[in-house]
Amino acid sequence: MSQPIKTRTTVDIYGKKYTIVGNESSQHTRQVAKMVDDKMHEIHEANSYLDTTRLAVLTTVNTVNDYLKLEHKYEELLKKIEEKED
Amino acid sequence: MSQPIKTRTTVDIYGKKYTIVGNESSQHTRQVAKMVDDKMHEIHEANSYLDTTRLAVLTTVNTVNDYLKLEHKYEELLKKIEEKED
């Protein structure tokens, strides 16, 4: 079986270069990188005393939190559909 | 108007302590912190040469990617419901 084509995309996040290897298009990877960079700058604005590691970790905390909220909304929507179908 | 009650929760992520202030319960914050810690260790397994900042940034990239995928699924589900209602 052939392997799925992997893309290699070099992006700049908060002043450092990262080469991201994955199945997504380079355009998608650049969009994700831009979102992470924006989030880090946003968190830095409110917490300028944080070093970059702590800033990056808190950005992850924030993102996981957003993910869980969306997951909750998704599950609620699924439940609503199931109730309608009953 | 009264302010919403803020919780302060101190958590340990990848060997450092963080005090997270927010509207979520301490239990929720600890769950999020545990997920971030797990993800960072998981990414470290496959990329042991990365320093902690890079590791945290890549963890965020990963999470934003998961978020966008879920958002896409959520929108598809909404569209399906709207089509049914028409």
Side-chain angles (χ1 to χ4, degrees), chain A residues 17-18 20 24 28 32 52-54 56-57 60-61 63 65-67 69-70 73-74 77 81 84-85, chain B residues 13 17-18 24 28 32 52-54 56-57 59-61 64-67 69 73-74 77 81 84-85:
Chain A
K17 294 218 176 303
Y18 294 84
I20 316 269
E24 278 86 11
H28 176 86
V32 170
T52 312
T53 302
R54 286 185 175 270
V57 169
T60 313
V61 168
T63 313
N65 210 12
D66 290 347
Y67 182 90
K69 277 187 199 157
L70 182 60
K73 266 175 73 181
Y74 183 78
L77 197 59
I81 296 171
K84 270 198 181 170
E85 282 173 352
Chain B
I13 302 172
K17 295 219 176 301
Y18 295 82
E24 278 85 12
H28 176 85
V32 170
T52 311
T53 304
R54 285 183 175 269
V57 169
T59 306
T60 312
V61 167
V64 168
N65 211 9
D66 290 348
Y67 182 91
K69 276 186 201 158
K73 267 175 72 181
Y74 183 79
L77 198 58
I81 295 171
K84 269 197 182 170
E85 282 173 352

mmCIF file of all heavy atoms in Angstrom, chain A residues 17-18 20 24 28 32 52-54 56-57 60-61 63 65-67 69-70 73-74 77 81 84-85, chain B residues 13 17-18 24 28 32 52-54 56-57 59-61 64-67 69 73-74 77 81 84-85:
data_model
loop_
_atom_site.group_PDB
_atom_site.id
_atom_site.type_symbol
_atom_site.label_atom_id
_atom_site.label_comp_id
_atom_site.label_asym_id
_atom_site.label_seq_id
_atom_site.Cartn_x
_atom_site.Cartn_y
_atom_site.Cartn_z
ATOM 1 N N LYS A 17 11.309 29.317 14.000
ATOM 2 C CA LYS A 17 10.877 28.545 12.839
ATOM 3 C C LYS A 17 10.544 27.102 13.246
ATOM 4 O O LYS A 17 11.256 26.499 14.053
ATOM 5 C CB LYS A 17 11.980 28.527 11.779
ATOM 6 C CG LYS A 17 12.238 29.910 11.178
ATOM 7 C CD LYS A 17 12.537 29.835 9.695
ATOM 8 C CE LYS A 17 12.705 31.229 9.103
ATOM 9 N NZ LYS A 17 11.538 32.107 9.297
ATOM 10 N N TYR A 18 9.473 26.576 12.674
ATOM 11 C CA TYR A 18 9.067 25.191 12.922
ATOM 12 C C TYR A 18 8.787 24.517 11.586
ATOM 13 O O TYR A 18 8.122 25.114 10.737
ATOM 14 C CB TYR A 18 7.772 25.148 13.748
ATOM 15 C CG TYR A 18 7.946 25.689 15.144
ATOM 16 C CD1 TYR A 18 7.871 27.062 15.384
ATOM 17 C CD2 TYR A 18 8.206 24.844 16.208
ATOM 18 C CE1 TYR A 18 8.050 27.570 16.660
ATOM 19 C CE2 TYR A 18 8.379 25.344 17.487
ATOM 20 C CZ TYR A 18 8.308 26.714 17.710
ATOM 21 O OH TYR A 18 8.493 27.212 18.974
ATOM 22 N N ILE A 20 6.692 21.694 10.079
ATOM 23 C CA ILE A 20 5.570 20.829 10.442
ATOM 24 C C ILE A 20 5.369 19.795 9.332
ATOM 25 O O ILE A 20 5.210 20.150 8.167
ATOM 26 C CB ILE A 20 4.262 21.642 10.618
ATOM 27 C CG1 ILE A 20 4.512 22.934 11.405
ATOM 28 C CG2 ILE A 20 3.147 20.785 11.184
ATOM 29 C CD1 ILE A 20 4.367 22.873 12.882
ATOM 30 N N GLU A 24 -1.948 17.399 6.237
ATOM 31 C CA GLU A 24 -2.680 18.594 5.814
ATOM 32 C C GLU A 24 -1.907 19.387 4.761
ATOM 33 O O GLU A 24 -0.689 19.273 4.678
ATOM 34 C CB GLU A 24 -2.966 19.501 7.028
ATOM 35 C CG GLU A 24 -4.174 19.069 7.829
ATOM 36 C CD GLU A 24 -3.849 18.029 8.886
ATOM 37 O OE1 GLU A 24 -2.642 17.802 9.139
ATOM 38 O OE2 GLU A 24 -4.783 17.438 9.456
ATOM 39 N N HIS A 28 -3.209 24.956 4.960
ATOM 40 C CA HIS A 28 -3.861 24.679 6.235
ATOM 41 C C HIS A 28 -2.865 24.848 7.396
ATOM 42 O O HIS A 28 -3.177 25.454 8.415
ATOM 43 C CB HIS A 28 -4.440 23.268 6.211
ATOM 44 C CG HIS A 28 -5.060 22.843 7.510
ATOM 45 N ND1 HIS A 28 -6.357 23.132 7.843
ATOM 46 C CD2 HIS A 28 -4.543 22.172 8.575
ATOM 47 C CE1 HIS A 28 -6.618 22.658 9.041
ATOM 48 N NE2 HIS A 28 -5.543 22.074 9.505
ATOM 49 N N VAL A 32 -3.039 27.356 10.662
ATOM 50 C CA VAL A 32 -2.938 26.917 12.061
ATOM 51 C C VAL A 32 -1.816 27.679 12.775
ATOM 52 O O VAL A 32 -1.995 28.198 13.888
ATOM 53 C CB VAL A 32 -2.699 25.391 12.145
ATOM 54 C CG1 VAL A 32 -2.359 24.960 13.562
ATOM 55 C CG2 VAL A 32 -3.932 24.630 11.648
ATOM 56 N N THR A 52 8.737 32.630 27.526
ATOM 57 C CA THR A 52 8.109 32.033 26.341
ATOM 58 C C THR A 52 7.578 30.625 26.601
ATOM 59 O O THR A 52 6.523 30.250 26.088
ATOM 60 C CB THR A 52 9.097 32.018 25.147
ATOM 61 O OG1 THR A 52 9.667 33.316 25.050
ATOM 62 C CG2 THR A 52 8.401 31.705 23.844
ATOM 63 N N THR A 53 8.272 29.851 27.422
ATOM 64 C CA THR A 53 7.801 28.488 27.712
ATOM 65 C C THR A 53 6.455 28.541 28.416
ATOM 66 O O THR A 53 5.489 27.876 28.020
ATOM 67 C CB THR A 53 8.806 27.732 28.604
ATOM 68 O OG1 THR A 53 10.051 27.704 27.924
ATOM 69 C CG2 THR A 53 8.366 26.307 28.855
ATOM 70 N N ARG A 54 6.376 29.384 29.461
ATOM 71 C CA ARG A 54 5.117 29.496 30.209
ATOM 72 C C ARG A 54 4.006 30.040 29.318
ATOM 73 O O ARG A 54 2.863 29.615 29.413
ATOM 74 C CB ARG A 54 5.306 30.402 31.426
ATOM 75 C CG ARG A 54 6.089 29.707 32.528
ATOM 76 C CD ARG A 54 6.201 30.531 33.791
ATOM 77 N NE ARG A 54 6.844 29.742 34.813
ATOM 78 C CZ ARG A 54 6.195 28.960 35.676
ATOM 79 N NH1 ARG A 54 4.902 28.893 35.665
ATOM 80 N NH2 ARG A 54 6.857 28.241 36.550
ATOM 81 N N ALA A 56 3.782 29.651 26.102
ATOM 82 C CA ALA A 56 3.371 28.584 25.186
ATOM 83 C C ALA A 56 2.489 27.568 25.900
ATOM 84 O O ALA A 56 1.472 27.122 25.358
ATOM 85 C CB ALA A 56 4.610 27.901 24.596
ATOM 86 N N VAL A 57 2.837 27.224 27.146
ATOM 87 C CA VAL A 57 2.039 26.250 27.902
ATOM 88 C C VAL A 57 0.650 26.825 28.182
ATOM 89 O O VAL A 57 -0.366 26.146 27.991
ATOM 90 C CB VAL A 57 2.749 25.831 29.216
ATOM 91 C CG1 VAL A 57 1.818 25.031 30.114
ATOM 92 C CG2 VAL A 57 3.999 25.008 28.909
ATOM 93 N N THR A 60 -1.507 26.620 25.264
ATOM 94 C CA THR A 60 -2.044 25.268 25.098
ATOM 95 C C THR A 60 -3.240 25.047 26.025
ATOM 96 O O THR A 60 -4.267 24.503 25.612
ATOM 97 C CB THR A 60 -0.966 24.200 25.390
ATOM 98 O OG1 THR A 60 0.223 24.552 24.718
ATOM 99 C CG2 THR A 60 -1.394 22.835 24.915
ATOM 100 N N VAL A 61 -3.104 25.492 27.277
ATOM 101 C CA VAL A 61 -4.199 25.357 28.245
ATOM 102 C C VAL A 61 -5.460 26.019 27.687
ATOM 103 O O VAL A 61 -6.549 25.440 27.682
ATOM 104 C CB VAL A 61 -3.815 26.002 29.602
ATOM 105 C CG1 VAL A 61 -5.022 26.148 30.519
ATOM 106 C CG2 VAL A 61 -2.729 25.176 30.294
ATOM 107 N N THR A 63 -6.187 26.688 24.583
ATOM 108 C CA THR A 63 -6.697 26.014 23.383
ATOM 109 C C THR A 63 -7.437 24.734 23.751
ATOM 110 O O THR A 63 -8.491 24.432 23.186
ATOM 111 C CB THR A 63 -5.531 25.700 22.415
ATOM 112 O OG1 THR A 63 -4.736 26.869 22.282
ATOM 113 C CG2 THR A 63 -6.028 25.299 21.052
ATOM 114 N N ASN A 65 -8.944 24.187 26.484
ATOM 115 C CA ASN A 65 -10.195 24.657 27.079
ATOM 116 C C ASN A 65 -11.224 24.965 25.984
ATOM 117 O O ASN A 65 -12.376 24.530 26.071
ATOM 118 C CB ASN A 65 -9.898 25.908 27.901
ATOM 119 C CG ASN A 65 -10.844 26.048 29.052
ATOM 120 O OD1 ASN A 65 -11.590 25.122 29.381
ATOM 121 N ND2 ASN A 65 -10.858 27.206 29.664
ATOM 122 N N ASP A 66 -10.815 25.700 24.964
ATOM 123 C CA ASP A 66 -11.710 26.004 23.839
ATOM 124 C C ASP A 66 -12.180 24.714 23.171
ATOM 125 O O ASP A 66 -13.332 24.581 22.768
ATOM 126 C CB ASP A 66 -10.992 26.864 22.779
ATOM 127 C CG ASP A 66 -10.743 28.280 23.276
ATOM 128 O OD1 ASP A 66 -11.330 28.659 24.309
ATOM 129 O OD2 ASP A 66 -9.960 28.997 22.630
ATOM 130 N N TYR A 67 -11.262 23.758 23.047
ATOM 131 C CA TYR A 67 -11.599 22.474 22.417
ATOM 132 C C TYR A 67 -12.705 21.767 23.210
ATOM 133 O O TYR A 67 -13.693 21.294 22.650
ATOM 134 C CB TYR A 67 -10.355 21.587 22.316
ATOM 135 C CG TYR A 67 -10.644 20.269 21.637
ATOM 136 C CD1 TYR A 67 -10.515 20.145 20.255
ATOM 137 C CD2 TYR A 67 -11.070 19.155 22.355
ATOM 138 C CE1 TYR A 67 -10.807 18.956 19.614
ATOM 139 C CE2 TYR A 67 -11.368 17.966 21.731
ATOM 140 C CZ TYR A 67 -11.224 17.867 20.359
ATOM 141 O OH TYR A 67 -11.520 16.680 19.730
ATOM 142 N N LYS A 69 -14.902 23.039 25.235
ATOM 143 C CA LYS A 69 -16.173 23.765 25.112
ATOM 144 C C LYS A 69 -16.879 23.403 23.814
ATOM 145 O O LYS A 69 -18.079 23.153 23.789
ATOM 146 C CB LYS A 69 -15.921 25.277 25.139
ATOM 147 C CG LYS A 69 -15.786 25.829 26.534
ATOM 148 C CD LYS A 69 -15.702 27.344 26.495
ATOM 149 C CE LYS A 69 -15.108 27.882 27.769
ATOM 150 N NZ LYS A 69 -14.519 29.204 27.597
ATOM 151 N N LEU A 70 -16.108 23.369 22.740
ATOM 152 C CA LEU A 70 -16.672 23.037 21.431
ATOM 153 C C LEU A 70 -17.171 21.590 21.431
ATOM 154 O O LEU A 70 -18.238 21.281 20.896
ATOM 155 C CB LEU A 70 -15.617 23.261 20.332
ATOM 156 C CG LEU A 70 -16.059 23.012 18.902
ATOM 157 C CD1 LEU A 70 -17.211 23.935 18.526
ATOM 158 C CD2 LEU A 70 -14.895 23.233 17.935
ATOM 159 N N LYS A 73 -20.474 21.473 23.056
ATOM 160 C CA LYS A 73 -21.510 21.985 22.140
ATOM 161 C C LYS A 73 -21.864 20.926 21.090
ATOM 162 O O LYS A 73 -23.018 20.727 20.742
ATOM 163 C CB LYS A 73 -20.988 23.228 21.394
ATOM 164 C CG LYS A 73 -21.349 24.542 22.039
ATOM 165 C CD LYS A 73 -20.706 25.719 21.333
ATOM 166 C CE LYS A 73 -21.339 26.028 19.989
ATOM 167 N NZ LYS A 73 -20.682 27.182 19.300
ATOM 168 N N TYR A 74 -20.831 20.258 20.581
ATOM 169 C CA TYR A 74 -21.020 19.224 19.561
ATOM 170 C C TYR A 74 -21.870 18.079 20.123
ATOM 171 O O TYR A 74 -22.811 17.605 19.483
ATOM 172 C CB TYR A 74 -19.655 18.714 19.099
ATOM 173 C CG TYR A 74 -19.731 17.685 17.998
ATOM 174 C CD1 TYR A 74 -19.978 18.077 16.683
ATOM 175 C CD2 TYR A 74 -19.547 16.334 18.271
ATOM 176 C CE1 TYR A 74 -20.050 17.140 15.666
ATOM 177 C CE2 TYR A 74 -19.625 15.385 17.254
ATOM 178 C CZ TYR A 74 -19.866 15.795 15.957
ATOM 179 O OH TYR A 74 -19.948 14.870 14.949
ATOM 180 N N LEU A 77 -25.489 19.035 20.526
ATOM 181 C CA LEU A 77 -26.157 19.061 19.225
ATOM 182 C C LEU A 77 -26.518 17.638 18.788
ATOM 183 O O LEU A 77 -27.623 17.376 18.311
ATOM 184 C CB LEU A 77 -25.221 19.729 18.205
ATOM 185 C CG LEU A 77 -25.842 20.225 16.905
ATOM 186 C CD1 LEU A 77 -26.927 21.243 17.193
ATOM 187 C CD2 LEU A 77 -24.768 20.863 16.020
ATOM 188 N N ILE A 81 -30.307 15.985 18.134
ATOM 189 C CA ILE A 81 -30.692 15.271 16.908
ATOM 190 C C ILE A 81 -31.273 13.911 17.264
ATOM 191 O O ILE A 81 -32.303 13.498 16.731
ATOM 192 C CB ILE A 81 -29.478 15.095 15.968
ATOM 193 C CG1 ILE A 81 -29.001 16.464 15.507
ATOM 194 C CG2 ILE A 81 -29.797 14.215 14.792
ATOM 195 C CD1 ILE A 81 -27.710 16.421 14.756
ATOM 196 N N LYS A 84 -34.740 14.152 18.568
ATOM 197 C CA LYS A 84 -35.698 14.435 17.493
ATOM 198 C C LYS A 84 -36.041 13.178 16.711
ATOM 199 O O LYS A 84 -37.158 12.998 16.248
ATOM 200 C CB LYS A 84 -35.098 15.463 16.527
ATOM 201 C CG LYS A 84 -35.420 16.884 16.924
ATOM 202 C CD LYS A 84 -35.204 17.809 15.741
ATOM 203 C CE LYS A 84 -35.500 19.239 16.133
ATOM 204 N NZ LYS A 84 -35.078 20.180 15.113
ATOM 205 N N GLU A 85 -35.005 12.321 16.535
ATOM 206 C CA GLU A 85 -35.201 11.118 15.729
ATOM 207 C C GLU A 85 -36.000 10.037 16.458
ATOM 208 O O GLU A 85 -36.533 9.139 15.835
ATOM 209 C CB GLU A 85 -33.850 10.591 15.254
ATOM 210 C CG GLU A 85 -33.329 11.411 14.068
ATOM 211 C CD GLU A 85 -31.919 11.029 13.657
ATOM 212 O OE1 GLU A 85 -31.283 10.236 14.367
ATOM 213 O OE2 GLU A 85 -31.473 11.549 12.624
ATOM 214 N N ILE B 13 2.221 21.400 35.216
ATOM 215 C CA ILE B 13 2.267 20.961 33.816
ATOM 216 C C ILE B 13 3.719 20.838 33.387
ATOM 217 O O ILE B 13 4.475 21.814 33.438
ATOM 218 C CB ILE B 13 1.534 21.950 32.873
ATOM 219 C CG1 ILE B 13 0.068 22.120 33.281
ATOM 220 C CG2 ILE B 13 1.615 21.477 31.417
ATOM 221 C CD1 ILE B 13 -0.670 23.220 32.528
ATOM 222 N N LYS B 17 4.875 24.768 37.895
ATOM 223 C CA LYS B 17 3.595 25.118 38.506
ATOM 224 C C LYS B 17 2.976 26.324 37.797
ATOM 225 O O LYS B 17 3.671 27.267 37.431
ATOM 226 C CB LYS B 17 3.792 25.457 39.988
ATOM 227 C CG LYS B 17 4.251 24.260 40.814
ATOM 228 C CD LYS B 17 3.590 24.249 42.183
ATOM 229 C CE LYS B 17 3.963 22.995 42.968
ATOM 230 N NZ LYS B 17 3.577 21.739 42.299
ATOM 231 N N TYR B 18 1.661 26.272 37.584
ATOM 232 C CA TYR B 18 0.926 27.372 36.965
ATOM 233 C C TYR B 18 -0.303 27.676 37.804
ATOM 234 O O TYR B 18 -1.003 26.743 38.210
ATOM 235 C CB TYR B 18 0.456 26.993 35.556
ATOM 236 C CG TYR B 18 1.587 26.758 34.593
ATOM 237 C CD1 TYR B 18 2.249 25.539 34.557
ATOM 238 C CD2 TYR B 18 2.013 27.773 33.744
ATOM 239 C CE1 TYR B 18 3.312 25.324 33.691
ATOM 240 C CE2 TYR B 18 3.069 27.568 32.871
ATOM 241 C CZ TYR B 18 3.717 26.344 32.851
ATOM 242 O OH TYR B 18 4.762 26.147 32.005
ATOM 243 N N GLU B 24 -13.934 28.755 35.202
ATOM 244 C CA GLU B 24 -14.200 27.325 35.311
ATOM 245 C C GLU B 24 -13.905 26.817 36.720
ATOM 246 O O GLU B 24 -13.143 27.431 37.457
ATOM 247 C CB GLU B 24 -13.340 26.545 34.296
ATOM 248 C CG GLU B 24 -13.919 26.502 32.903
ATOM 249 C CD GLU B 24 -13.544 27.719 32.079
ATOM 250 O OE1 GLU B 24 -12.651 28.472 32.522
ATOM 251 O OE2 GLU B 24 -14.147 27.919 31.009
ATOM 252 N N HIS B 28 -12.379 21.298 36.644
ATOM 253 C CA HIS B 28 -12.256 21.434 35.202
ATOM 254 C C HIS B 28 -10.827 21.861 34.823
ATOM 255 O O HIS B 28 -10.222 21.305 33.907
ATOM 256 C CB HIS B 28 -13.281 22.450 34.691
ATOM 257 C CG HIS B 28 -13.172 22.735 33.233
ATOM 258 N ND1 HIS B 28 -13.779 21.956 32.272
ATOM 259 C CD2 HIS B 28 -12.504 23.708 32.562
ATOM 260 C CE1 HIS B 28 -13.486 22.440 31.075
ATOM 261 N NE2 HIS B 28 -12.726 23.501 31.225
ATOM 262 N N VAL B 32 -8.084 19.975 32.413
ATOM 263 C CA VAL B 32 -7.428 20.596 31.256
ATOM 264 C C VAL B 32 -5.905 20.474 31.402
ATOM 265 O O VAL B 32 -5.200 20.078 30.472
ATOM 266 C CB VAL B 32 -7.844 22.082 31.105
ATOM 267 C CG1 VAL B 32 -6.994 22.790 30.066
ATOM 268 C CG2 VAL B 32 -9.321 22.193 30.742
ATOM 269 N N THR B 52 11.497 22.685 25.802
ATOM 270 C CA THR B 52 10.125 22.764 26.324
ATOM 271 C C THR B 52 9.277 23.796 25.585
ATOM 272 O O THR B 52 8.086 23.568 25.356
ATOM 273 C CB THR B 52 10.149 23.067 27.838
ATOM 274 O OG1 THR B 52 11.070 22.161 28.443
ATOM 275 C CG2 THR B 52 8.790 22.858 28.468
ATOM 276 N N THR B 53 9.868 24.925 25.205
ATOM 277 C CA THR B 53 9.082 25.937 24.483
ATOM 278 C C THR B 53 8.576 25.376 23.160
ATOM 279 O O THR B 53 7.392 25.458 22.833
ATOM 280 C CB THR B 53 9.926 27.199 24.199
ATOM 281 O OG1 THR B 53 10.424 27.687 25.425
ATOM 282 C CG2 THR B 53 9.096 28.285 23.539
ATOM 283 N N ARG B 54 9.497 24.769 22.406
ATOM 284 C CA ARG B 54 9.106 24.214 21.107
ATOM 285 C C ARG B 54 8.062 23.104 21.283
ATOM 286 O O ARG B 54 7.136 22.968 20.502
ATOM 287 C CB ARG B 54 10.329 23.669 20.372
ATOM 288 C CG ARG B 54 11.179 24.787 19.805
ATOM 289 C CD ARG B 54 12.357 24.288 19.008
ATOM 290 N NE ARG B 54 13.038 25.415 18.414
ATOM 291 C CZ ARG B 54 12.768 25.899 17.204
ATOM 292 N NH1 ARG B 54 11.867 25.327 16.461
ATOM 293 N NH2 ARG B 54 13.408 26.953 16.738
ATOM 294 N N ALA B 56 5.891 22.865 23.718
ATOM 295 C CA ALA B 56 4.595 23.479 24.058
ATOM 296 C C ALA B 56 3.963 24.107 22.819
ATOM 297 O O ALA B 56 2.755 23.977 22.601
ATOM 298 C CB ALA B 56 4.793 24.523 25.153
ATOM 299 N N VAL B 57 4.775 24.764 21.994
ATOM 300 C CA VAL B 57 4.226 25.389 20.776
ATOM 301 C C VAL B 57 3.661 24.303 19.856
ATOM 302 O O VAL B 57 2.543 24.430 19.336
ATOM 303 C CB VAL B 57 5.289 26.246 20.051
ATOM 304 C CG1 VAL B 57 4.813 26.666 18.660
ATOM 305 C CG2 VAL B 57 5.624 27.490 20.870
ATOM 306 N N THR B 59 2.555 21.434 20.725
ATOM 307 C CA THR B 59 1.342 20.909 21.356
ATOM 308 C C THR B 59 0.155 21.815 21.029
ATOM 309 O O THR B 59 -0.948 21.338 20.749
ATOM 310 C CB THR B 59 1.528 20.796 22.885
ATOM 311 O OG1 THR B 59 2.702 20.033 23.138
ATOM 312 C CG2 THR B 59 0.356 20.101 23.550
ATOM 313 N N THR B 60 0.405 23.128 21.031
ATOM 314 C CA THR B 60 -0.671 24.058 20.669
ATOM 315 C C THR B 60 -1.066 23.885 19.202
ATOM 316 O O THR B 60 -2.259 23.862 18.872
ATOM 317 C CB THR B 60 -0.245 25.520 20.917
ATOM 318 O OG1 THR B 60 0.320 25.618 22.203
ATOM 319 C CG2 THR B 60 -1.426 26.462 20.840
ATOM 320 N N VAL B 61 -0.070 23.754 18.336
ATOM 321 C CA VAL B 61 -0.347 23.543 16.903
ATOM 322 C C VAL B 61 -1.262 22.326 16.734
ATOM 323 O O VAL B 61 -2.283 22.365 16.042
ATOM 324 C CB VAL B 61 0.976 23.337 16.111
ATOM 325 C CG1 VAL B 61 0.707 22.810 14.711
ATOM 326 C CG2 VAL B 61 1.762 24.643 16.030
ATOM 327 N N VAL B 64 -4.828 23.124 18.097
ATOM 328 C CA VAL B 64 -5.588 24.007 17.194
ATOM 329 C C VAL B 64 -6.058 23.195 15.984
ATOM 330 O O VAL B 64 -7.195 23.340 15.519
ATOM 331 C CB VAL B 64 -4.742 25.229 16.758
ATOM 332 C CG1 VAL B 64 -5.404 25.984 15.612
ATOM 333 C CG2 VAL B 64 -4.533 26.178 17.929
ATOM 334 N N ASN B 65 -5.205 22.316 15.520
ATOM 335 C CA ASN B 65 -5.558 21.448 14.399
ATOM 336 C C ASN B 65 -6.770 20.575 14.754
ATOM 337 O O ASN B 65 -7.730 20.493 13.993
ATOM 338 C CB ASN B 65 -4.353 20.569 14.074
ATOM 339 C CG ASN B 65 -4.303 20.224 12.619
ATOM 340 O OD1 ASN B 65 -5.055 20.771 11.817
ATOM 341 N ND2 ASN B 65 -3.443 19.303 12.260
ATOM 342 N N ASP B 66 -6.732 19.957 15.923
ATOM 343 C CA ASP B 66 -7.874 19.146 16.394
ATOM 344 C C ASP B 66 -9.125 20.014 16.517
ATOM 345 O O ASP B 66 -10.223 19.577 16.187
ATOM 346 C CB ASP B 66 -7.568 18.528 17.775
ATOM 347 C CG ASP B 66 -6.511 17.436 17.690
ATOM 348 O OD1 ASP B 66 -6.188 17.005 16.565
ATOM 349 O OD2 ASP B 66 -6.006 17.035 18.751
ATOM 350 N N TYR B 67 -8.930 21.246 16.992
ATOM 351 C CA TYR B 67 -10.055 22.162 17.165
ATOM 352 C C TYR B 67 -10.717 22.444 15.811
ATOM 353 O O TYR B 67 -11.935 22.380 15.678
ATOM 354 C CB TYR B 67 -9.576 23.472 17.798
ATOM 355 C CG TYR B 67 -10.696 24.454 18.050
ATOM 356 C CD1 TYR B 67 -11.360 24.465 19.262
ATOM 357 C CD2 TYR B 67 -11.092 25.369 17.078
ATOM 358 C CE1 TYR B 67 -12.403 25.343 19.506
ATOM 359 C CE2 TYR B 67 -12.136 26.256 17.305
ATOM 360 C CZ TYR B 67 -12.779 26.243 18.522
ATOM 361 O OH TYR B 67 -13.810 27.105 18.752
ATOM 362 N N LYS B 69 -10.653 20.675 13.109
ATOM 363 C CA LYS B 69 -11.327 19.467 12.601
ATOM 364 C C LYS B 69 -12.702 19.310 13.247
ATOM 365 O O LYS B 69 -13.688 19.006 12.588
ATOM 366 C CB LYS B 69 -10.477 18.222 12.908
ATOM 367 C CG LYS B 69 -9.401 17.972 11.882
ATOM 368 C CD LYS B 69 -8.701 16.655 12.169
ATOM 369 C CE LYS B 69 -7.337 16.628 11.502
ATOM 370 N NZ LYS B 69 -6.436 15.671 12.121
ATOM 371 N N LYS B 73 -16.576 19.410 11.699
ATOM 372 C CA LYS B 73 -17.598 18.393 11.978
ATOM 373 C C LYS B 73 -18.863 19.051 12.536
ATOM 374 O O LYS B 73 -19.981 18.690 12.179
ATOM 375 C CB LYS B 73 -17.075 17.390 13.034
ATOM 376 C CG LYS B 73 -16.411 16.161 12.437
ATOM 377 C CD LYS B 73 -15.825 15.281 13.517
ATOM 378 C CE LYS B 73 -16.857 14.527 14.353
ATOM 379 N NZ LYS B 73 -16.231 13.684 15.410
ATOM 380 N N TYR B 74 -18.674 20.016 13.427
ATOM 381 C CA TYR B 74 -19.790 20.717 14.055
ATOM 382 C C TYR B 74 -20.609 21.462 12.995
ATOM 383 O O TYR B 74 -21.835 21.399 12.979
ATOM 384 C CB TYR B 74 -19.254 21.700 15.103
ATOM 385 C CG TYR B 74 -20.332 22.437 15.862
ATOM 386 C CD1 TYR B 74 -21.001 21.818 16.898
ATOM 387 C CD2 TYR B 74 -20.653 23.753 15.551
ATOM 388 C CE1 TYR B 74 -21.999 22.487 17.600
ATOM 389 C CE2 TYR B 74 -21.644 24.429 16.249
ATOM 390 C CZ TYR B 74 -22.310 23.791 17.272
ATOM 391 O OH TYR B 74 -23.295 24.457 17.968
ATOM 392 N N LEU B 77 -22.634 19.143 10.858
ATOM 393 C CA LEU B 77 -23.804 18.654 11.596
ATOM 394 C C LEU B 77 -24.906 19.714 11.597
ATOM 395 O O LEU B 77 -26.082 19.404 11.365
ATOM 396 C CB LEU B 77 -23.372 18.332 13.038
ATOM 397 C CG LEU B 77 -24.289 17.430 13.852
ATOM 398 C CD1 LEU B 77 -24.488 16.093 13.176
ATOM 399 C CD2 LEU B 77 -23.686 17.206 15.249
ATOM 400 N N ILE B 81 -28.751 19.507 9.949
ATOM 401 C CA ILE B 81 -29.984 19.813 10.677
ATOM 402 C C ILE B 81 -30.810 20.841 9.914
ATOM 403 O O ILE B 81 -32.019 20.699 9.749
ATOM 404 C CB ILE B 81 -29.655 20.365 12.087
ATOM 405 C CG1 ILE B 81 -28.970 19.278 12.902
ATOM 406 C CG2 ILE B 81 -30.912 20.832 12.803
ATOM 407 C CD1 ILE B 81 -28.425 19.773 14.218
ATOM 408 N N LYS B 84 -32.571 19.335 7.017
ATOM 409 C CA LYS B 84 -33.725 18.526 7.441
ATOM 410 C C LYS B 84 -34.922 19.398 7.750
ATOM 411 O O LYS B 84 -36.057 19.022 7.525
ATOM 412 C CB LYS B 84 -33.354 17.725 8.697
ATOM 413 C CG LYS B 84 -32.797 16.365 8.378
ATOM 414 C CD LYS B 84 -32.861 15.500 9.614
ATOM 415 C CE LYS B 84 -32.252 14.134 9.319
ATOM 416 N NZ LYS B 84 -32.089 13.345 10.535
ATOM 417 N N GLU B 85 -34.631 20.561 8.327
ATOM 418 C CA GLU B 85 -35.706 21.454 8.754
ATOM 419 C C GLU B 85 -36.363 22.183 7.589
ATOM 420 O O GLU B 85 -37.470 22.681 7.708
ATOM 421 C CB GLU B 85 -35.198 22.446 9.802
ATOM 422 C CG GLU B 85 -35.082 21.783 11.177
ATOM 423 C CD GLU B 85 -34.430 22.654 12.233
ATOM 424 O OE1 GLU B 85 -33.912 23.730 11.868
ATOM 425 O OE2 GLU B 85 -34.414 22.250 13.405
#
